[in-house]
Amino acid sequence: SEEHLRVVLSLLEDVSASLRAAVHAVLGCIPLTSPSCLYLAIKALQDNIRRHPSDTPNIFKSLSRLGKLCSGLAEDVTPRLLVVRNSVGQESPYVTLHPDAEDDTYVAILVLVFSAAAINPQVLAMVPGHSVRHWRYLRHKYSSLIPTIEIASVGNQMLEFRDLLSDLAPVATSDGAHDG
């Protein structure tokens, strides 16, 4: 239940790094029961990144697992996740902004979303184009967390993901020579 989840999430505020790491591990293993529970867990993990940046690798692992376990719920919460609030609380969708792919709180969302999309491709239909373009960079940077996604189209978006190795292969030019 949401009440039990709140009790578990409150442990993320503890000063003990080992306790927080245990909570991250547990969160990555329990299938949540509702979109509101998933949203609550994601927001708590983002807050944890802000308070304890050294927890970020464990949080990314937890979110990757949650995305795979809760891919159906992720489809429901993705539009709400891709909204940012400025310092006075006004909301702006990431659709209208160009978020920084080095912002760990933004990357945390994408770790979950791309992990969910590996199971449920419809999740990508709710992701703005610039976030989809971040997939390639994040796939390279966090190859153990960001899955390979091979999808020709999702909803109205045309997506073409290729394996990074195919990008390293020589490309034939019009005169038959190879660039590389």
Side-chain angles (χ1 to χ4, degrees):
S1 76
E2 192 170 316
E3 184 178 325
H4 292 116
L5 179 62
R6 286 182 189 277
V7 171
V8 171
L9 294 175
S10 71
L11 297 173
L12 294 174
E13 298 175 18
D14 199 275
V15 296
S16 169
S18 60
L19 177 61
R20 293 191 313 271
V23 172
H24 301 145
V26 167
L27 285 174
C29 295
I30 55 173
L32 300 175
T33 58
S34 70
S36 62
C37 285
L38 180 60
Y39 184 80
L40 186 65
I42 294 164
K43 288 303 182 181
L45 290 167
Q46 285 182 304
D47 289 343
N48 189 193
I49 288 172
R50 289 181 195 100
R51 271 193 311 278
H52 304 285
S54 62
D55 290 357
T56 302
N58 287 336
I59 292 169
F60 284 178
K61 286 178 196 168
S62 179
L63 287 167
S64 179
R65 291 180 188 133
L66 267 177
K68 291 171 188 166
L69 276 173
C70 304
S71 62
L73 299 177
E75 185 177 346
D76 293 335
V77 300
T78 294
R80 285 180 54 203
L81 291 173
L82 294 173
V83 170
V84 292
R85 287 172 187 77
N86 64 17
S87 59
V88 292
Q90 295 172 316
E91 291 186 352
S92 295
Y94 277 119
V95 167
T96 61
L97 302 173
H98 293 286
D100 182 1
E102 296 296 326
D103 174 356
D104 287 339
T105 58
Y106 170 67
V107 172
I109 293 169
L110 295 184
V111 167
L112 176 117
V113 168
F114 292 141
S115 295
I119 307 297
N120 177 3
Q122 286 304 111
V123 172
L124 286 177
M126 287 146 226
V127 177
H130 59 267
S131 294
V132 172
R133 285 188 297 275
H134 289 153
W135 172 85
R136 182 180 304 252
Y137 169 73
L138 295 173
R139 172 77 180 119
H140 178 72
K141 186 171 181 179
Y142 303 108
S143 60
S144 66
L145 298 174
I146 304 291
T148 299
I149 304 170
E150 296 182 29
I151 300 171
S153 67
V154 174
N156 294 326
Q157 293 185 351
M158 291 302 294
L159 309 173
E160 185 177 335
F161 293 113
R162 294 174 297 190
D163 192 299
L164 289 175
L165 294 177
S166 67
D167 292 341
L168 301 176
V171 177
T173 60
S174 60
D175 63 0
H178 289 281
D179 286 344

